[in-house]
Amino acid sequence: GAVVSQHPSRVICKSGTSVKIECRSLDFQATTMFWYRQFPKQSLMLMATSNEGSKATYEQGVEKDKFLINHASLTLSTLTVTSAHPEDSSFYICSFGHGEEQYFGPGTRLTVT
Amino acid sequence: DAKTTQPTSMDCAEGRAANLPCNHSTISGNEYVYWYRQIHSQGPQYIIHGLKNNETNEMASLIITEDRKSSTLILPHATLRDTAVYYCIVRPNSGGSNYKLTFGKGTLLTVNP
């Protein structure tokens, strides 16, 4: 149980385009979910926290107009990277809170060329 | 949240016990110790958590010192698939799984054949 999926697992896009990443909880519902990103050889950094049906709370230094989060249901959240640039290339990971733990998706590797 | 200190890396022979230490000397009374691990290019995986008593599950054991200033994660019979970065995280349990996690640099455990 407590499976989280992400789609796509890898994406390559051109600079200036937008990319949408989906995160789904497959066998549970959650009101709160989190988006992280991880640069090579670094740890996970929290980008934002979102609750279903309300606006996301972004961490300091994360541009809310660039990283659009839609938490439309208890099982689905999307992260859209708008006007992507090479410095946005990273590993993006979502997680849902469930029980006493967080369950993480497998991650999406974004490469912006 | 209380800060944690972990060794950067450790090695372990396959089949032997892996003991991963974590220092959390500033932990407060309502904070739990959580352990997650991240296999290369995957999302983090929950391992175990505890407050003050030792805990055991099918993956690992968690030993917390009486003063709660440090803990040790024990993988009783390490396998090659246990090679990963192990994160020790301290967080309040209020808010449950909806509380954000702050990841440090973790310990890279390499299990050798």
Side-chain angles (χ1 to χ4, degrees), chain A residues 24-80:
Chain A
R24 291 181 185 272
S25 59
L26 300 185
D27 51 3
F28 66 95
Q29 295 182 329
T31 56
T32 303
M33 64 91 58
F34 307 86
W35 284 97
Y36 297 81
R37 63 182 168 184
Q38 185 174 32
F39 294 107
K41 299 189 185 301
Q42 294 188 24
S43 189
L44 283 80
M45 296 294 293
L46 180 67
M47 298 176 67
T49 303
S50 76
N51 289 295
E52 184 260 342
S54 59
K55 290 184 178 180
T57 301
Y58 291 80
E59 295 297 300
Q60 192 171 9
V62 178
E63 300 175 55
K64 62 179 175 65
D65 294 329
K66 181 174 181 61
F67 298 98
L68 304 179
I69 292 172
N70 186 323
H71 192 172
S73 77
L74 296 176
T75 60
L76 172 65
S77 178
T78 60
L79 169 68
T80 301

Side-chain angles (χ1 to χ4, degrees), chain B residues 34-85:
Chain B
Y34 277 73
W35 284 84
Y36 285 79
R37 73 179 182 184
Q38 185 179 23
I39 295 170
H40 182 63
S41 293
Q42 296 184 24
Q45 176 189 21
Y46 165 80
I47 302 174
I48 199 167
H49 76 281
L51 181 62
K52 54 183 178 181
N53 296 322
N54 297 338
E55 302 288 344
T56 295
N57 62 21
E58 65 277 5
M59 289 183 68
S61 294
L62 174 60
I63 308 297
I64 302 174
T65 58
E66 193 168 340
D67 63 7
R68 303 208 323 121
K69 293 185 177 182
S70 65
S71 60
T72 301
L73 178 74
I74 301 172
L75 307 179
H77 306 287
T79 71
L80 299 180
R81 287 179 295 181
D82 292 323
T83 293
V85 178

